[in-house]
């Protein structure tokens, strides 16, 4: 299940892209999930664990991936138990956040209102301990805390 804390929270990695550079492991990049996310969000192809072919930038290392993809990779593979600030993610990352949360319990922090689609979905808002199931319910809660 996806759990969201709206605003700053304890144990939050506020700048996931910087944390990623120091924490990622090569094996993350060669998983099917990572390849799919990188292709969808950054429009790039994983050639190997240290080489990605970007349509815009040419050959790049994982260090040059977008902040959104770096944050998604941390959500999927980091085992530190830390919460990641998903504000680095654009709305194009929302479906991936929901997908990751289908496979494991995932808690994130958001400092803005992300569009997770029309629904249905289940997102637990930690601030008030309620569960939202669609965008309308999300909006009813999110602006109370942001």
């Amino acid at each position: 299940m996806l759990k969201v804390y709206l605003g700053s929270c304890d144990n939050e990695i506020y700048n996931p892209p910087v944390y990623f550079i120091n924490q990622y492991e090569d094996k993350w990049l060669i998983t099917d999930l990572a390849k799919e996310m990188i292709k969808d969000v950054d429009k790039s192809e994983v050639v190997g664990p240290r080489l990605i072919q970007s349509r815009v930038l040419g050959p790049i290392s994982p260090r040059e991936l977008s902040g959104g993809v770096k944050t998604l990779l941390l959500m999927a593979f980091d085992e530190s138990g830390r919460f990641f600030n998903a504000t680095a993610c654009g709305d194009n990352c929302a479906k991936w956040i929901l997908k990751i949360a289908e496979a494991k319990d995932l808690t994130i922090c958001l400092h803005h209102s992300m569009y997770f689609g029309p629904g249905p979905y289940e997102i637990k808002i930690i601030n008030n301990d309620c569960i939202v199931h669609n965008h309308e319910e999300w909006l009813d809660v999110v602006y109370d805390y942001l």
Side-chain angles (χ1 to χ4, degrees):
M1 171 179 260
L2 177 60
K3 300 173 188 162
V4 176
Y5 190 88
L6 299 166
S8 296
C9 65
D10 293 336
N11 206 27
E12 172 186 15
I13 299 296
Y14 185 78
N15 192 338
V18 171
Y19 182 83
F20 175 87
I21 289 169
N22 295 300
Q23 299 298 320
Y24 85 91
E25 298 178 26
D26 289 344
K27 65 183 178 182
W28 296 359
L29 281 289
I30 56 174
T31 65
D32 289 340
L33 177 62
K35 289 177 182 179
E36 291 172 29
M37 291 188 301
I38 291 167
K39 184 174 187 172
D40 181 53
V41 176
D42 280 3
K43 311 297 186 238
S44 300
E45 297 287 334
V46 175
V47 177
R50 296 185 183 188
L51 179 61
I52 296 149
Q53 185 63 40
S54 166
R55 281 190 342 203
V56 176
L57 302 173
I60 61 172
S61 78
R63 298 171 66 93
E64 285 79 45
L65 289 168
S66 69
V69 167
K70 289 175 184 171
T71 304
L72 290 173
L73 291 167
L74 288 167
M75 289 177 194
F77 300 110
D78 183 82
E79 299 294 330
S80 69
R82 307 292 293 271
F83 305 145
F84 296 101
N85 174 5
T87 303
C89 297
D91 289 344
N92 61 338
C93 295
K95 71 179 182 182
W96 293 106
I97 294 171
L98 291 171
K99 183 172 181 154
I100 293 164
E102 288 175 7
K104 70 179 203 177
D105 281 337
L106 177 64
T107 302
I108 64 172
C109 300
L110 272 172
H111 299 261
H112 76 289
S113 179
M114 180 174 277
Y115 180 65
F116 287 98
Y121 47 73
E122 283 195 1
I123 299 175
K124 182 175 184 175
I125 308 298
I126 296 171
N127 305 66
N128 66 358
D129 203 33
C130 78
I131 296 177
V132 297
H133 303 91
N134 55 51
H135 188 63
E136 184 177 309
E137 291 178 8
W138 169 261
L139 290 177
D140 285 343
V141 173
V142 70
Y143 292 115
D144 290 339
Y145 298 99
L146 296 178

